[in-house]
Amino acid sequence: MINTRLAIGIHILAFVECVPEKDSINSEIVSESIGTNAVVVRRMSSALKKAGLLKSVSIKKGLMLAKKPENITLYEILKAVDPSNDLFIVHQKVNPQCTYGHSIVKVIENEFRFLQFELEENLKKKTLHDIMKKVVNN
């Protein structure tokens, strides 16, 4: 199942970069932009901080990017907010007596590994800055 963690991580970082008053940014303000609970934003922000992508402006409040947007890849964001990032998972309860079922799982797993690799390689080439430019031009 594909989740929304990457999209939320990108949204948090882009929003933080675009807000001029960095010391006034908090999880409630960011959550309003995203349309999610502030607890989700706090959890994701914590992961982004641990990854060195986001930092606090002061001890109690405020957020800012730890790196320039052009130096933050979408892959880095993905690894920060979803470390296991298994985007494609094969069902595991296949009937062991079914030759076809047993064989197709191996084929699907190989295809999914290839797709995961391709996606990750593409995410390494795209930056937060690339996304932000498209948002401004949209």
Side-chain angles (χ1 to χ4, degrees), residues 4-21:
T4 59
R5 290 183 191 139
L6 176 59
I8 291 173
I10 293 168
H11 194 141
I12 291 169
L13 294 173
F15 183 84
V16 165
E17 180 63 12
C18 290
V19 173
E21 305 85 25

Side-chain angles (χ1 to χ4, degrees), residues 77-93:
I77 301 169
L78 176 64
K79 293 303 269 184
V81 298
D82 192 8
S84 67
N85 75 330
D86 291 328
L87 299 175
F88 309 103
I89 300 171
V90 179
H91 56 290
Q92 296 299 313
K93 294 186 179 184

Side-chain angles (χ1 to χ4, degrees), residues 27-38:
S27 57
E28 285 76 24
I29 293 169
V30 179
S31 70
E32 287 176 20
S33 176
I34 295 171
T36 191
N37 191 298

Side-chain angles (χ1 to χ4, degrees), residues 9-129:
I10 293 168
H11 194 141
I12 291 169
L13 294 173
F15 183 84
V16 165
E17 180 63 12
C18 290
V19 173
E21 305 85 25
K22 305 287 185 227
D23 60 343
S24 67
I25 301 172
N26 61 40
S27 57
E28 285 76 24
I29 293 169
V30 179
S31 70
E32 287 176 20
S33 176
I34 295 171
T36 191
N37 191 298
V39 174
V40 172
V41 172
R42 281 192 287 276
R43 190 175 347 110
M44 299 285 277
S45 295
S46 176
L48 293 165
K49 286 177 185 177
K50 285 181 187 175
L53 305 177
L54 191 64
K55 63 183 179 180
S56 297
V57 173
S58 65
I59 295 171
K60 296 204 176 214
K61 63 179 183 176
L63 295 168
M64 65 185 292
L65 297 186
K67 297 164 50 171
K68 293 181 179 180
E70 53 269 18
N71 295 331
I72 299 174
T73 67
L74 300 187
Y75 180 75
E76 287 177 287
I77 301 169
L78 176 64
K79 293 303 269 184
V81 298
D82 192 8
S84 67
N85 75 330
D86 291 328
L87 299 175
F88 309 103
I89 300 171
V90 179
H91 56 290
Q92 296 299 313
K93 294 186 179 184
V94 177
N95 181 347
Q97 306 301 325
C98 179
T99 307
Y100 188 80
H102 183 68
S103 297
I104 197 167
V105 167
K106 289 179 183 178
V107 171
I108 293 171
E109 285 175 339
N110 286 335
E111 289 297 318
F112 284 0
R113 267 193 293 282
F114 174 75
L115 291 170
Q116 179 89 24
F117 174 79
E118 290 291 312
L119 177 62
E120 288 176 359
E121 290 302 305
N122 281 319
L123 291 174
K124 289 175 184 176
K125 296 173 188 172
K126 301 283 183 183
T127 67
L128 179 62
H129 181 72

